[in-house]
């Protein structure tokens, strides 16, 4: 029985310690100050703050979305209160360097920590999520002055940040952004343009907001190679570091969303002239790194950002599953088939908790396999980030980097597809009650529905996987993935999981063959036309592998928890992995149905 309906601490401990052995990271200089005790303490604190300060206002924030009063965005006060507790506890900088006030935790632990906040209240968690991403980008590519002026106040939680990429006419295709940045004599730039969908784009939570904005410097190359990155603060910063003159970036409107309602989401105008810093219109911005390298900088942080979205999608699916599990144990309805058979109506025997019905257990097993499988995928990829950054041998770092590159579209897309399915099943387990606002599962579903859309849609992830990742370096990433999975299947020989390993091995071989068939056509349009099916099949193969890994990590342990893991592993093997056969058949047939359907007949 879980002690929390937010996440399962028992499962996180299993994944972090019994499986991924994060404690071994403390042997590396970067994590030498840490131990199992410090990891446990920080997880305890995350659970406590998520439970006491984030979860209680999740529904209230959903029902009272941000609104504008006298030109200012107003949020319910609980959001600021929760974020103050979060920041005071040091979570904003938990995996950052000590030099920046961070705890220098491994990313693996940092992601597990942040999963608590996302599962408890994803709308409030989005502010630190964006702020951490913003600061990380500045630390990687900004000047020391930019780090001190803009990243430090964010890591201290005094200012929050945004990522301002999208425009009304340019979402998936950032090559088509039109925001302009004109160089000035003093080395700064003046920006004009409109950014759409900017999360955390305006609010009164902090005294300043640091926008990271993609824009074009006139005269630069067209397309993606002519996009630069700028820091644009809401208030220009005085020499002493305090916020000064109001910059010319203004709120043009709020978007009213299906979910994630606690996160203010904005249309922002840059340089419309409402404010006149230095006496004239134009948003003052400062170039980050070199001109025209903006998208490269953004993409360099993409792996971690996309894992983060995967963690959020998993966390929301996970909390949906735990709520459904509790409901199914307590809601009584109907009688077992056998009991009905003994009397004409079965009505004389007592009703049973719905978890006694096999079809309800089917839904719970499916949701469990998506939630725990997604968490395994997210934390495995976070562990690769730690390997990529701290492994002693350069070849180990390179190996982790390559594997992470090929897994990233899956780490983003698989939880974003199946996390919402877990929430959908959680609604179904609740029956009619799940369709009301008296239970939280409908909100989890609405919140989670964003994840297949932002940070690269599922369609864009599928093109990344099939169009780039599995063919890059002559297919080296795909080969490495296959070899890594084979190491696991070899360990299963002679165990009760040998059959699972054989089926998984066949699926991996099929994936390699299908990839060759698709690209063997010499026709990229045909190869990529069914890329979404490829992404789905590849995702299921990868998560099946991680379920086999988890099953093996259970060893001979016979606790209820470990039996639950085995049951979910068996479910994924028998019910989910076989889905890929039909998907690979379709791909292998080079089906042209979608490709050849003209737009005008739809
Ligand atoms: C709630 C929310 C928060 C957001 N937060 C931010 C933020 O903080 N900062 C930010 O910069 N952006 C943010 N976004 C924007 C988000 O990243 C975009 O919505 C997303 O990239 C998709 O762009 P779009 O909405 O313009 O859709 P489009 O790009 O128009 O896509 C519409 C459909 O067409 C498909 N499609 C488009 N191009 C192709 C192609 N080449 N091949 C195949 N299919 C294609 C897509 O997959 C999708 O299904 C947010 C969006 C939302 C909804």
């Amino acid at each position: 029985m879980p002690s929390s309906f937010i996440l399962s601490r028992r499962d996180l401990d299993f994944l972090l310690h019994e499986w991924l052995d994060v404690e071994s990271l403390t042997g590396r200089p970067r994590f030498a100050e840490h131990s199992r005790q410090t990891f446990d303490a920080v997880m305890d604190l995350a659970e406590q703050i998520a439970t006491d300060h984030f979860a209680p206002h999740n529904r209230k924030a959903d029902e009272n979305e941000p609104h504008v009063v006298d030109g200012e965005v107003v949020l319910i006060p609980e959001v600021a209160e929760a974020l103050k507790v979060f920041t005071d506890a040091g979570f904003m900088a938990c995996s950052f360097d000590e030099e920046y006030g961070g705890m220098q935790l491994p990313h693996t632990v940092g992601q597990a920590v942040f999963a608590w906040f996302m599962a408890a209240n994803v709308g409030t968690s989005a502010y630190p999520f964006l702020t951490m991403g913003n600061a990380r980008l500045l630390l990687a590519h900004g000047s020391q002055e930019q780090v001190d002026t803009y990243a430090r106040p964010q890591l201290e939680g005094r200012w929050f940040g945004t990522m301002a990429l999208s425009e009304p006419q340019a979402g998936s295709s950032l090559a088509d952004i039109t925001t302009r940045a004109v160089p000035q004599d003093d080395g700064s730039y003046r920006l004009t343009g409109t950014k759409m969908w900017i999360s955390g784009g305006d609010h009164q939570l902090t005294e300043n907001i640091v926008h990271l904005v993609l824009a074009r410097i006139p005269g630069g190359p067209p397309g993606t190679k002519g996009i630069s990155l700028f820091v644009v603060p809401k208030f220009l910063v005085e020499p002493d570091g305090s916020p000064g003159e109001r910059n010319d970036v203004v709120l043009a409107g709020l978007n009213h969303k299906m979910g994630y309602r606690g996160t203010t989401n904005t249309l922002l105008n840059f340089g419309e002239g409402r404010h006149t810093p230095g006496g004239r219109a134009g948003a003052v911005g400062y170039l980050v790194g070199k001109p025209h390298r903006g998208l490269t900088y953004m993409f360099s942080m993409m792996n971690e950002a996309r894992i983060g979205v995967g963690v959020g999608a998993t966390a929301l699916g996970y909390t949906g599953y735990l709520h459904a599990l509790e409901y199914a144990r307590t809601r009584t309805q109907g009688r077992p088939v056998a009991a009905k058979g003994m009397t004409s109506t079965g009505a004389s025997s007592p009703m049973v908790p719905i978890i006694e019905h096999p079809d309800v257990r089917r839904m719970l097993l499916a949701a469990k396999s998506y939630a725990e499988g997604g968490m395994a995928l997210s934390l495995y990829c976070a562990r690769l980030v730690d390997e990529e950054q701290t492994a002693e041998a350069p070849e180990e770092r390179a190996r982790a980097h390559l594997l992470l590159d090929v897994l990233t579209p899956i780490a983003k897309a698989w939880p974003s597809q199946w996390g919402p399915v877990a929430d959908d099943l959680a609604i179904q387990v609740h029956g009619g009650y799940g369709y009301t606002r008296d239970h939280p599962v409908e909100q989890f579903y609405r919140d989670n529905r964003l994840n297949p859309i932002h940070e690269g849609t599922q369609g864009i992830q599928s093109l990344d996987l099939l169009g780039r990742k599995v063919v890059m370096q002559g297919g080296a990433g795909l080969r490495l993935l296959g070899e890594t999975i084979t190491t696991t299947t070899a360990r299963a020989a002679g165990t009760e999981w040998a059959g699972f390993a054989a089926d998984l091995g066949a699926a991996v071989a099929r994936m390699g063959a299908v990839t060759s068939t698709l690209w063997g056509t010499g026709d990229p349009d045909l190869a990529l036309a069914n890329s979404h099916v490829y992404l789905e099949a590849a995702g299921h193969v990868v998560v099946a592998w991680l379920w086999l890994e988890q099953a093996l990590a259970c060893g001979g342990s016979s606790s209820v928890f470990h039996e639950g893991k085995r049951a979910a592993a068996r479910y994924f093997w028998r019910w989910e992995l076989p889905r890929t056969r039909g998907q690979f058949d379709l791909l292998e047939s080079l089906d042209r149905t979608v490709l050849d359907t003209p737009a005008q007949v739809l």
Side-chain angles (χ1 to χ4, degrees):
M1 206 52 167
S3 58
S4 167
F5 303 137
I6 298 175
L7 287 178
S8 160
R9 173 62 185 273
R10 179 68 190 89
D11 187 32
L12 289 169
D13 281 348
F14 170 82
L15 295 171
L16 291 175
H17 300 294
E18 290 170 57
W19 178 43
L20 293 172
D21 188 20
V22 288
E23 209 178 340
S24 64
L25 290 170
T26 61
R28 297 183 183 168
R30 182 174 172 80
F31 308 121
E33 301 291 306
H34 285 292
S35 61
R36 173 74 194 254
Q37 283 70 31
T38 62
F39 294 159
D40 284 349
V42 85
M43 289 288 284
D44 289 345
L45 189 58
E47 177 174 356
Q48 183 225 311
I49 294 176
T51 307
D52 297 346
H53 299 277
F54 279 61
H57 70 277
N58 194 36
R59 171 60 81 182
K60 185 174 172 188
D62 182 64
E63 288 173 345
N64 299 273
E65 60 182 332
H67 58 285
V68 181
V69 178
D70 297 333
E72 298 200 333
V73 178
V74 177
L75 304 176
I76 60 167
E78 288 87 343
V79 176
E81 288 160 20
L83 291 173
K84 181 166 182 346
V85 177
F86 176 92
T87 304
D88 288 350
F91 283 120
M92 191 69 88
C94 72
S95 26
F96 286 81
D97 293 359
E98 282 169 8
E99 186 187 345
Y100 299 110
M103 295 183 207
Q104 223 160 281
L105 279 174
H107 283 281
T108 321
V109 180
Q111 291 288 7
V113 159
F114 203 63
W116 280 105
F117 300 106
M118 291 177 122
N121 187 328
V122 83
T124 295
S125 305
Y127 298 98
F129 182 84
L130 290 156
T131 302
M132 291 187 273
N134 181 309
R136 207 178 287 289
L137 213 156
L138 284 172
L139 285 174
H141 302 292
S143 65
Q144 190 57 50
E145 189 196 346
Q146 289 171 342
V147 167
D148 292 337
T149 309
Y150 303 106
R152 279 188 192 275
Q154 292 190 77
L155 292 175
E156 290 163 9
R158 292 190 288 115
W159 302 353
F160 287 167
T162 74
M163 293 290 193
L165 291 70
S166 306
E167 296 181 4
Q169 80 298 346
S172 299
S173 177
L174 292 173
D176 295 303
I177 65 163
T178 57
T179 297
R180 280 160 50 91
V182 178
Q184 308 294 304
D185 292 343
D186 65 356
S188 69
Y189 289 75
R190 288 283 175 145
L191 279 77
T192 42
T194 299
K195 291 288 174 183
M196 179 58 164
W197 304 119
I198 308 311
S199 299
D202 204 9
H203 53 72
Q204 309 300 316
L205 292 168
T206 48
E207 56 180 4
N208 206 353
I209 300 174
V210 181
H211 303 289
L212 278 179
V213 185
L214 288 181
R216 292 186 176 285
I217 302 171
T224 51
K225 293 200 167 63
I227 296 175
S228 305
L229 181 65
F230 298 88
V231 187
V232 182
K234 178 175 176 181
F235 292 94
L236 300 180
V237 182
E238 296 292 322
D240 68 357
S242 63
E245 198 176 357
R246 181 71 164 80
N247 204 356
D248 193 12
V249 42
V250 294
L251 178 73
L254 293 180
N255 294 310
H256 302 288
K257 309 189 297 302
M258 173 182 181
Y260 257 86
R261 290 188 183 165
T263 311
T264 173
N265 187 274
T266 58
L267 180 70
L268 293 180
N269 278 349
F270 292 78
E272 73 166 37
R274 182 125 35 114
H275 302 282
T276 50
R280 60 201 173 85
V284 177
Y286 307 97
L287 182 69
V288 177
K290 295 196 167 62
H292 315 314
R293 304 269 299 151
L295 266 191
T296 311
Y297 299 151
M298 278 287 176
F299 280 117
S300 76
M301 315 309 289
M302 204 66 97
N303 287 349
E304 287 165 59
R306 291 188 166 167
I307 295 168
V309 171
V311 172
T314 293
L316 284 167
Y318 210 125
T319 194
Y321 158 65
L322 292 177
H323 280 80
L325 181 61
E326 172 62 11
Y327 187 83
R329 289 191 200 285
T330 48
R331 166 76 175 171
T332 55
Q333 193 75 197
R335 291 157 187 88
V337 174
K340 277 189 200 156
M342 283 185 279
T343 65
S344 56
T345 63
S348 56
S349 62
M351 293 208 290
V352 294
I354 58 173
I355 200 167
E356 297 300 330
H357 302 304
D359 192 56
V360 173
R361 286 205 298 282
R362 166 189 67 81
M363 293 190 273
L364 291 169
L365 262 176
K368 179 179 170 77
S369 79
Y370 305 148
E372 296 179 14
M375 193 61 82
L377 173 64
S378 299
L379 296 184
Y380 183 87
C381 290
R383 184 74 160 81
L384 288 178
V385 175
D386 284 321
E387 289 303 307
E388 175 189 41
Q389 295 177 354
T390 66
E392 272 156 38
E395 55 276 17
E396 279 304 305
R397 291 183 184 213
R399 183 187 171 281
H401 180 77
L402 183 60
L403 194 52
L404 188 59
D405 254 3
V406 81
L407 285 176
T408 294
I410 294 171
K412 191 272 166 177
W414 196 89
S416 296
Q417 179 173 358
W418 297 98
V421 175
D423 289 321
D424 181 71
L425 289 167
I427 293 172
Q428 195 69 16
V429 168
H430 281 72
Y433 296 94
Y435 195 64
T436 69
R437 276 176 272 165
D438 299 330
H439 290 268
V441 284
E442 61 85 29
Q443 185 188 344
F444 300 147
Y445 178 80
R446 285 186 290 105
D447 288 345
N448 217 350
R449 188 60 187 80
L450 172 63
N451 287 314
I453 297 171
H454 70 159
E455 195 59 47
T457 62
Q458 302 297 88
I460 296 301
Q461 301 300 332
S462 73
L463 294 175
D464 184 38
L465 180 67
L466 182 57
R468 275 179 10 96
K469 298 300 177 57
V470 297
V471 288
M472 66 186 179
Q473 299 173 37
L478 185 60
R479 270 197 304 283
L480 177 58
L481 176 62
E483 286 159 20
T484 312
I485 296 178
T486 303
T487 316
T488 307
T489 53
R491 280 171 36 227
T495 72
E496 63 177 304
W497 302 106
F500 189 175
D503 290 348
L504 178 60
V508 172
R510 194 84 199 280
M511 188 168 140
V514 162
T515 310
S516 302
T517 303
L518 289 170
W519 283 111
T521 61
D523 177 356
D525 282 334
L526 179 57
L528 294 174
N530 302 328
S531 59
H532 194 274
V533 179
Y534 185 89
L535 174 73
E536 287 190 68
H540 255 48
V541 169
V542 165
V543 175
W545 159 47
L546 298 179
W547 267 115
L548 179 58
E549 277 278 328
Q550 292 183 75
L552 294 173
C554 286
S557 306
S558 60
S559 69
V560 170
F561 171 82
H562 291 98
E563 287 305 334
K565 277 281 172 207
R566 288 192 189 90
R570 212 169 292 122
Y571 169 84
F572 209 88
W573 167 24
R574 305 305 303 235
W575 285 62
E576 297 289 336
L577 183 59
R579 286 177 192 259
T580 62
R581 285 186 210 138
Q583 291 167 324
F584 286 134
D585 287 349
L586 181 84
L587 290 163
E588 198 162 50
S589 72
L590 299 174
D591 183 70
R592 300 185 62 98
T593 309
V594 171
L595 188 63
D596 291 346
T597 300
Q600 61 269 24
V601 307
L602 292 173

